[in-house]
Amino acid sequence: MNATAQQGVSLQARDVCKSYAGQLVLKGIDFQVERGEVFVLMGPSGSGKTVLLKHLIGLEVPDRGEILIEGQPIHSPGVVDRYRLAMVFQSGALLNSLSVADNVGLYLSEHRLHPPETIAQIVAEKLALVGLKGIENKLPSELSGGMKKRVSIARALVIEPQLILYDEPTSELDPLIAVTIGAEILRLNQRIHVTSIVVTHDRDLAFGIADRIALMHEGELIALGPPDQVKADPHPLVQRFLQADFRFNPESITP
Amino acid sequence: MFQNFGEMLMLLWRTAWALPMTWRQRRKVFDQLFEIGNASLLMACLLSFFIGGVLALQTGPVLAERGLTNFIGQIVGLSMCRELAPAMMAMLIAGRIGSSMAAELGSMTVYQEIDALRTMNINPIQYLVLPRLVAISFALPVLVVFSILVGWLGGAVVSVSNYQIAISYEGYFNSLRDGIDLIDLVNGLFKSAAFAVVIGLVSCHQGLHTIGGPRGIGRSVTKAVANSIILILILDYFLTRLLMHLDR
């Protein structure tokens, strides 16, 4: 691995539009993520965050506009193969027919990057990093939702990515593990300067790890900037999202 | 319909392009072969025995009435080789294996496992479609050979035990040997290999294009089986015409 490979990559969304069945889901999204930045995408459910994330890693092709990775269109032939990109899916997206170890080591074994013994060692290391020692032989069906998410994070870490996208990395996790995952995102960022894009509803996580935050609403970016700037943004939708009290209040229940 | 057809041709082209990677995926090919054999061999034998038996039962008495029982081995043998074994085994495999391929790939699509592979720069066609298509293309002709042999045996048992036909085993197999050439077997194997590619392609295509949740998976499975059977029967007609033309 060379020195540049260890650094993150820059990413740019330029006027990205996408519609499904005639419904416009992304309405001209524009932003740039710098190398090594932790960029957080927030917004209510259905605002298009996950769809945008899939565009950013090249899984979806925009109807209009483009995604540039290091200044080159991500869908140009061979461009995406030049970089190590990883995504942590909301559901984990582990291959159900493979054991945890095979899932985590899949990238290394399929690309034949190391002999099996080294892969086993790397897998054990990454699993320990997400607090899951000794579950190598289990099948995904034997894991809880939170454990699947952590295995998925370990699978992404194995790639030693230059860009890592997290789709709701702390949903379904208990608060203690959520804090650990947040810390791990930051540690990775500091250690190998990976560019991280995190989609989350978790305001504590977002404001704890973000270099910049973008807030989405109905397929548009309504705020973008460093956490303090977004917090102070006078846009009513931004304030409503950031200041809403999500805590459960039993007194609000009417019999 | 035409879009589906075009997509399937593209899938076939990409899989053919990935064929040099077969050795690398050999473990998955063997897993698939084991699954196909394990799921189908017993049922294929049972089905074939009774197909051969029914064929003898239907034609035997009519031939006996006209003093032509010596031809029964030939009729059962040729029918099994050229038509019944390839077509019936293909339909059996479409139901048992095609459905499971569509369900497995469909569930992987719905639950984003295919997306996860793509983000890891693992080509889903090489990793998932190629082993399945290679395995089914090898397994179906082998099953057809079993089916032909067991079908001949079924025809023999019925021909000997049925009092209206009452031919000896020796007479039956002599008639069979006189009427069957190697080209008839090759004919059946060629058809079965073509049917296998159709089943694999249709099932993998349906699986990879699954949308929606569990309901979408169910829809894909139904479409995979129904479309495979329709295409098998249509292709059967054209292949039969082609092979008859080449036989001349």
Side-chain angles (χ1 to χ4, degrees):
Chain A
M1 204 183 320
N2 56 40
T4 47
Q6 291 224 355
Q7 292 176 352
V9 289
S10 67
L11 200 73
Q12 189 181 358
R14 217 189 255 169
D15 191 27
V16 174
C17 294
K18 183 75 177 181
S19 58
Y20 294 103
Q23 196 190 340
L24 206 53
V25 179
L26 298 178
K27 303 171 182 168
I29 302 285
D30 269 305
F31 65 85
Q32 174 146 10
V33 183
E34 302 299 336
R35 287 180 191 160
E37 189 178 12
V38 179
F39 187 86
V40 173
L41 269 169
M42 292 181 83
S45 297
S47 56
K49 304 182 298 291
T50 300
V51 174
L52 179 59
L53 212 57
K54 285 186 166 184
H55 280 78
L56 295 179
I57 202 163
L59 289 174
E60 295 276 352
V61 184
D63 296 337
R64 205 181 73 202
E66 57 185 353
I67 305 292
L68 304 172
I69 183 164
E70 289 287 305
Q72 293 161 304
I74 200 166
H75 286 105
S76 294
V79 168
V80 83
D81 301 342
R82 279 182 225 152
Y83 305 99
R84 286 191 312 279
L85 316 177
M87 180 161 170
V88 176
F89 289 85
Q90 191 172 1
S91 62
L94 301 176
L95 272 68
N96 276 316
S97 54
L98 301 182
S99 68
V100 167
D102 289 342
N103 262 292
V104 176
L106 187 63
Y107 174 82
L108 302 177
S109 56
E110 274 303 306
H111 294 286
R112 302 192 168 188
L113 298 177
H114 296 291
E117 311 79 57
T118 317
I119 292 178
Q121 203 182 325
I122 295 171
V123 165
E125 237 171 64
K126 300 300 177 192
L127 282 173
L129 206 66
V130 293
L132 290 175
K133 262 186 197 165
I135 62 152
E136 283 87 342
N137 295 323
K138 289 198 175 204
L139 286 169
S141 55
E142 297 172 273
L143 307 178
S144 68
M147 287 165 96
K148 281 183 191 167
K149 183 71 64 70
R150 284 147 74 193
V151 172
S152 175
I153 292 173
R155 182 174 67 181
L157 296 183
V158 157
I159 299 173
E160 301 212 335
Q162 293 162 282
L163 169 69
I164 183 162
L165 292 90
Y166 302 87
D167 192 4
E168 303 281 2
T170 55
S171 65
E172 296 181 67
L173 299 181
D174 62 69
L176 198 65
I177 295 293
V179 169
T180 314
I181 294 299
E184 187 51 40
I185 293 172
L186 275 184
R187 200 177 303 130
L188 260 175
N189 179 253
Q190 284 157 6
R191 206 179 69 204
I192 55 172
H193 306 295
V194 59
T195 307
S196 307
I197 300 178
V198 185
V199 161
T200 186
H201 286 116
D202 185 338
R203 288 177 296 187
D204 292 338
L205 175 76
F207 284 92
I209 64 170
D211 292 320
R212 282 190 306 150
I213 293 178
L215 207 86
M216 284 185 76
H217 183 76
E218 293 181 355
E220 285 175 291
L221 285 187
I222 54 170
L224 173 65
D228 289 342
Q229 189 184 315
V230 171
K231 233 178 218 172
D233 193 310
H235 196 298
L237 288 170
V238 176
Q239 287 310 313
R240 204 169 74 192
F241 184 78
L242 295 181
Q243 287 173 5
D245 190 354
F246 296 140
R247 282 171 303 180
F248 176 65
N249 178 9
E251 285 168 15
S252 65
I253 307 294
T254 47
Chain B
M1 186 178 105
F2 290 112
Q3 188 188 343
N4 278 345
F5 199 66
E7 284 169 357
M8 277 194 282
L9 284 179
M10 285 297 291
L11 185 61
L12 179 62
W13 170 249
R14 287 184 184 147
T15 313
W17 195 248
L19 268 177
M21 304 299 285
T22 308
W23 179 248
R24 216 173 134 169
Q25 302 290 350
R26 62 190 179 280
R27 223 183 82 189
K28 283 189 218 88
V29 175
F30 287 126
D31 287 348
Q32 289 293 323
L33 276 174
F34 177 76
E35 205 173 313
I36 296 170
N38 197 32
S40 325
L41 191 58
L42 187 67
M43 195 176 272
C45 289
L46 196 70
L47 193 69
S48 306
F49 186 87
F50 283 99
I51 291 172
V54 165
L55 204 57
L57 198 62
Q58 292 276 12
T59 53
V62 181
L63 291 174
E65 266 176 32
R66 289 157 180 77
L68 298 169
T69 40
N70 284 345
F71 287 98
I72 191 158
Q74 206 167 322
I75 287 173
V76 173
L78 269 180
S79 311
M80 285 306 294
C81 258
R82 283 182 166 258
E83 193 53 57
L84 288 173
M88 297 304 286
M89 286 308 104
M91 285 193 246
L92 174 74
I93 291 295
R96 283 200 71 116
I97 304 301
S99 60
S100 106
M101 280 183 189
E104 201 179 347
L105 296 192
S107 123
M108 290 182 81
T109 306
V110 167
Y111 297 112
Q112 296 183 306
E113 293 173 35
I114 307 268
D115 282 346
L117 286 175
R118 287 166 62 196
T119 61
M120 286 186 275
N121 224 346
I122 297 171
N123 182 346
I125 291 176
Q126 271 176 32
Y127 187 79
L128 299 168
V129 178
L130 177 71
R132 283 166 174 78
L133 214 61
V134 169
I136 200 171
S137 305
F138 184 72
L140 188 53
V142 172
L143 266 183
V144 165
V145 172
F146 270 100
S147 168
I148 290 170
L149 295 175
V150 176
W152 286 350
L153 186 69
V157 169
V158 170
S159 302
V160 173
S161 59
N162 186 286
Y163 73 96
Q164 286 176 291
I165 310 169
I167 188 175
S168 67
Y169 279 111
E170 199 187 355
Y172 175 89
F173 282 109
N174 280 341
S175 152
L176 201 149
R177 197 180 54 227
D178 291 345
I180 304 289
D181 288 326
L182 185 63
I183 192 71
D184 298 315
L185 185 66
V186 172
N187 219 308
L189 293 182
F190 177 74
K191 272 186 177 179
S192 63
F195 296 159
V197 172
V198 166
I199 297 166
L201 264 185
V202 172
S203 308
C204 291
H205 172 259
Q206 285 299 337
L208 291 174
H209 287 82
T210 303
I211 43 170
R215 213 169 166 185
I217 299 171
R219 246 192 326 260
S220 284
V221 171
T222 311
K223 273 187 183 176
V225 176
N227 293 354
S228 293
I229 291 176
I230 292 167
L231 281 176
I232 286 166
L233 294 174
I234 294 172
L235 188 65
D236 192 20
Y237 172 79
F238 289 105
L239 281 180
T240 304
R241 286 201 66 160
L242 174 77
L243 293 168
M244 282 170 82
H245 179 74
L246 292 177
D247 270 357
R248 277 185 212 143

